[in-house]
Amino acid sequence: MNTLLRTWGPGLGLAVAACVVLPLALPPYWIYLAIAAVVSGVLMQSYGVIVGRAGVMSLCQMSFAAIGAWVVLRLNLADAPGGLLLWLVLGGLAAVPVGVAIGLPALRIRGVNLAVVTLGFAVSTDIVLNANQFPGTTELKTVVRPGLFSSDAAYFVLAMTVFVLIAIGLALVNRTRIGRSWLELRHSERAAAAHGISVARSKLTAFAISAFIAGIGGGLMAGQLGLVVSGNFAMMQSLALFAVAVLIGPHNTEGAVLGGIFGAVMATILEKLRLPQDLGGILFGAMAIFALRSGVSQTDFTRARKRARNARPLLAAAVPAEEPAPLSPAAGGEGNVLEVRGLSVRFGQVVALDGVDLTVPALGVCGLIGPNGAGKSTLISAVTGFAARYEGSVVLAGEPLDRLSPSARARRGLRRTFQTTAIASELTQEEYLAIVAGRRLRREESEEVLRFFGCPPGEVPVSILDAGTRRLLDVAAAVAARPKVALLDEPAAGQSAAESLRLGRRLAQVPARFGVSILLVEHDMDLVRAACGQVTVLDFGHVIASGPTLDVLDAPAVRAAYLGTVLEETS
């Protein structure tokens, strides 16, 4: 309760103050503009979901708003029961299936191509709206507001209430698995799938929720204006609000407020202040330059600076992690938790893997080594489901995985890291651990795994971590998920020799401490010796050696593969 009040208390206080003071202090025309700003803020929250959180280039949000407005006007024309408050919800719900339908192409295309698809829907909506008037236009029957909110001053309170309820609802959704998954999608769909997140479900949910909010915004606009025309929802409106969303960041509540003000009343404010309208374009251009330079929106940048400033004392006071004791890596427990048999991968005429057999023992650390181009990363991609096609079988704890998607394999206990990290910088470390784990971690649990891998306290944001610490965080998150097997692809890249050796000693302790087996892909032989009980060596897609670590590393064939020498035949 205290956390809720601390988070939402100031914002709710400002909202209540605005609802009390503005209707009393502003003349009617400015109250009308204030309503327009709040309605625009609701529409910006729609962009905040799909553009700000999920990172999808959607250019048709105003088309969803048009659906909401059409439903409200149609129900008003029919004198349907329930009144405007119910009609707003029904208008939002009517936009949901359309949002899902538009989101279906997003399962296969993204970026500019997806933007073209959504823009095409916006153009089609323009054509339909221009050819068919909104309900009530011919009859000149305006929307009947509820008696309590019949005046503009009272309607401002209603619009503000809807805005706050949506903001709170989105804040609660953002704390759920599906809400956190949107940030993963925004930065890397492959990483999201590797963490057990269904990319399809997350994208479609983002489209559905954003369409619902846009539909409510369109209904609010109909209630404000009484009647609407096609120009209120034109394609250019979607484009303009999309640009504002990218620059300001409406996935943050303050960003939605600023976006609503900028989009609805900036021109009037400049006019009343007797300033040239070109000043608005200058401000817009300045924000665009800032966004391009920083790579984040204005509100994201402000929040990141604040979190970094608050986190620096935590970094300074952080207790250094204990130096892990040197261990003789164990080969593991009884039986194998992961079995790969006859794995072959071809890219056209190129054979990347040819009949590879590999096992990872239960509660063991197994190394996968080989020169560049040997097929190590290809093997990890195939085992975790990211390779489009392969021959052979992958069995995890007795369960075949060959027909499963990457996210389904991850949920069954097969996790991986990538050579390049893709962690959302606006998250804290503990938030990232929760996303990867797929569950809310206890503070003690997250701090234990962070300390074990030498990471700062969980409240420290990712934005101020160096590249080496981010890689350690990626490994810590994979272990925190408590999978059956974690496949780590060069986790020591970019670290010093001492840091790499320290990581190897920690990895050797992971199976006993966290119950997670490890398949480690590495070039650092000191790390491999420190961590791995057994090693498999690939060269040109073939296994050339497999067995206890020291025996394999001393094998002439392995030395020849790494040194590029030719073995002499012995008689």
Side-chain angles (χ1 to χ4, degrees):
M1 186 65 178
N2 290 335
T3 302
L4 183 63
L5 288 176
R6 187 166 56 252
T7 303
W8 284 99
L12 290 175
L14 288 174
V16 172
C19 290
V20 173
V21 175
L22 293 185
L24 297 176
L26 296 179
Y29 178 69
W30 282 98
I31 293 177
Y32 174 84
L33 291 179
I35 296 172
V38 176
V39 172
S40 182
V42 171
L43 294 170
M44 292 305 300
Q45 287 177 313
S46 168
Y47 283 91
V49 172
I50 194 67
V51 178
R53 300 290 293 186
V56 176
M57 294 181 66
S58 175
L59 305 180
C60 62
Q61 297 305 110
M62 291 303 291
S63 300
F64 302 141
I67 294 173
W70 192 95
V71 169
V72 167
L73 289 167
R74 184 68 185 85
L75 294 174
N76 177 73
L77 182 62
D79 293 322
L84 179 60
L85 297 181
L86 176 61
W87 302 344
L88 289 175
V89 176
L90 294 177
L93 292 175
V96 169
V98 181
V100 172
I102 296 301
L104 289 175
L107 304 184
R108 293 187 174 273
I109 59 176
R110 58 186 61 86
V112 176
N113 292 333
L114 180 59
V116 171
V117 171
T118 58
L119 183 62
F121 176 67
V123 172
S124 301
T125 304
D126 270 5
I127 295 173
V128 172
L129 294 180
N130 284 320
N132 301 275
Q133 293 181 335
F134 279 90
T137 304
T138 302
E139 298 83 357
L140 296 179
K141 184 174 181 180
T142 59
V143 173
V144 179
R145 298 177 182 175
L148 187 61
F149 304 105
S150 58
S151 67
D152 279 355
Y155 196 78
F156 171 79
V157 175
L158 172 62
M160 181 65 76
T161 302
V162 172
F163 178 91
V164 171
L165 290 176
I166 291 175
I168 293 175
L170 289 178
L172 296 176
V173 171
N174 291 338
R175 296 182 179 182
T176 66
R177 171 73 163 166
I178 195 69
R180 294 190 181 105
S181 72
W182 293 337
L183 282 178
E184 284 273 84
L185 293 181
R186 176 181 171 184
H187 288 268
S188 172
E189 291 184 13
R190 286 170 60 84
H195 297 154
I197 294 170
S198 171
V199 174
R201 183 169 61 248
S202 295
K203 279 189 174 182
L204 292 179
T205 302
F207 266 100
I209 293 178
S210 70
F212 176 73
I213 296 172
I216 290 178
L220 279 175
M221 185 184 297
Q224 177 198 11
L225 301 176
L227 289 173
V228 295
V229 296
S230 60
N232 295 123
F233 309 98
M235 173 195 66
M236 292 306 298
Q237 292 287 340
S238 288
L239 290 175
L241 290 180
F242 172 81
V244 173
V246 171
L247 299 180
I248 295 181
H251 50 288
N252 303 314
T253 304
E254 65 272 25
V257 173
L258 291 174
I261 295 173
F262 192 92
V265 299
M266 178 59 69
T268 303
I269 291 176
L270 292 175
E271 180 184 350
K272 294 297 182 182
L273 294 177
R274 296 182 179 179
L275 295 174
Q277 292 294 320
D278 291 343
L279 183 58
I282 294 173
L283 292 175
F284 194 83
M287 288 191 294
I289 294 173
F290 173 83
L292 290 173
R293 181 180 179 184
S294 64
V296 296
S297 67
Q298 176 66 54
T299 53
D300 279 331
F301 179 78
T302 303
R303 284 193 169 197
R305 289 188 61 181
K306 181 179 179 180
R307 297 179 86 172
R309 184 169 59 251
N310 294 336
R312 287 193 177 94
L314 295 174
L315 284 176
V319 178
E322 295 181 5
E323 183 71 21
L327 293 176
S328 299
E334 297 183 2
N336 297 317
V337 66
L338 178 65
E339 296 183 358
V340 179
R341 301 297 181 193
L343 190 66
S344 298
V345 177
R346 291 176 172 82
F347 301 105
Q349 300 299 316
V350 178
V351 180
L353 295 173
D354 189 8
V356 171
D357 294 336
L358 180 145
T359 60
V360 176
L363 297 181
V365 181
C366 178
L368 179 64
I369 64 173
N372 289 329
K376 304 182 297 297
S377 294
T378 300
L379 185 143
I380 285 186
S381 294
V383 169
T384 53
F386 286 96
R389 293 186 181 87
Y390 65 82
E391 299 173 3
S393 64
V394 178
V395 179
L396 179 68
E399 180 185 8
L401 303 181
D402 301 304
R403 297 183 179 275
L404 300 180
S405 65
S407 59
R409 298 186 190 205
R411 289 192 294 271
R412 280 164 173 76
L414 193 63
R415 295 300 182 95
R416 68 164 295 181
T417 63
F418 294 86
Q419 291 183 6
T420 303
T421 58
I423 306 174
S425 59
E426 57 264 45
L427 295 171
T428 63
Q429 292 184 104
E430 60 185 1
E431 288 171 344
Y432 181 64
L433 292 184
I435 290 175
V436 177
R439 57 190 172 87
R440 185 177 296 277
L441 299 174
R442 292 180 292 105
R443 174 63 63 86
E444 298 79 11
E445 187 178 1
S446 60
E447 290 298 333
E448 177 191 9
V449 70
L450 289 173
R451 281 196 305 270
F452 178 77
F453 283 100
C455 298
E459 304 97 314
V460 174
V462 174
S463 59
I464 65 173
L465 299 180
D466 57 54
T469 304
R470 292 192 188 198
R471 296 195 71 84
L472 292 177
L473 174 60
D474 226 5
V475 175
V479 172
R482 304 296 175 101
K484 296 180 177 69
V485 182
L487 290 76
L488 309 180
D489 198 350
E490 299 188 17
Q495 299 193 24
S496 67
E499 291 170 336
S500 179
L501 183 59
R502 191 179 301 118
L503 175 61
R505 293 171 179 169
R506 289 191 173 105
L507 293 177
Q509 300 176 23
V510 165
R513 185 160 182 172
F514 297 100
V516 178
S517 300
I518 291 177
L519 177 62
L520 173 67
V521 174
E522 256 303 335
H523 288 290
D524 189 327
M525 292 300 103
D526 289 334
L527 187 155
V528 172
R529 290 188 181 93
C532 301
Q534 66 182 49
V535 170
T536 296
V537 186
L538 287 180
D539 191 25
F540 293 107
H542 296 84
V543 175
I544 61 173
S546 184
T549 301
L550 297 181
D551 294 343
V552 169
L553 295 183
D554 288 337
V558 175
R559 295 202 305 270
Y562 269 95
L563 297 176
T565 59
V566 179
L567 293 176
E568 297 180 358
E569 294 186 0
T570 58
S571 57

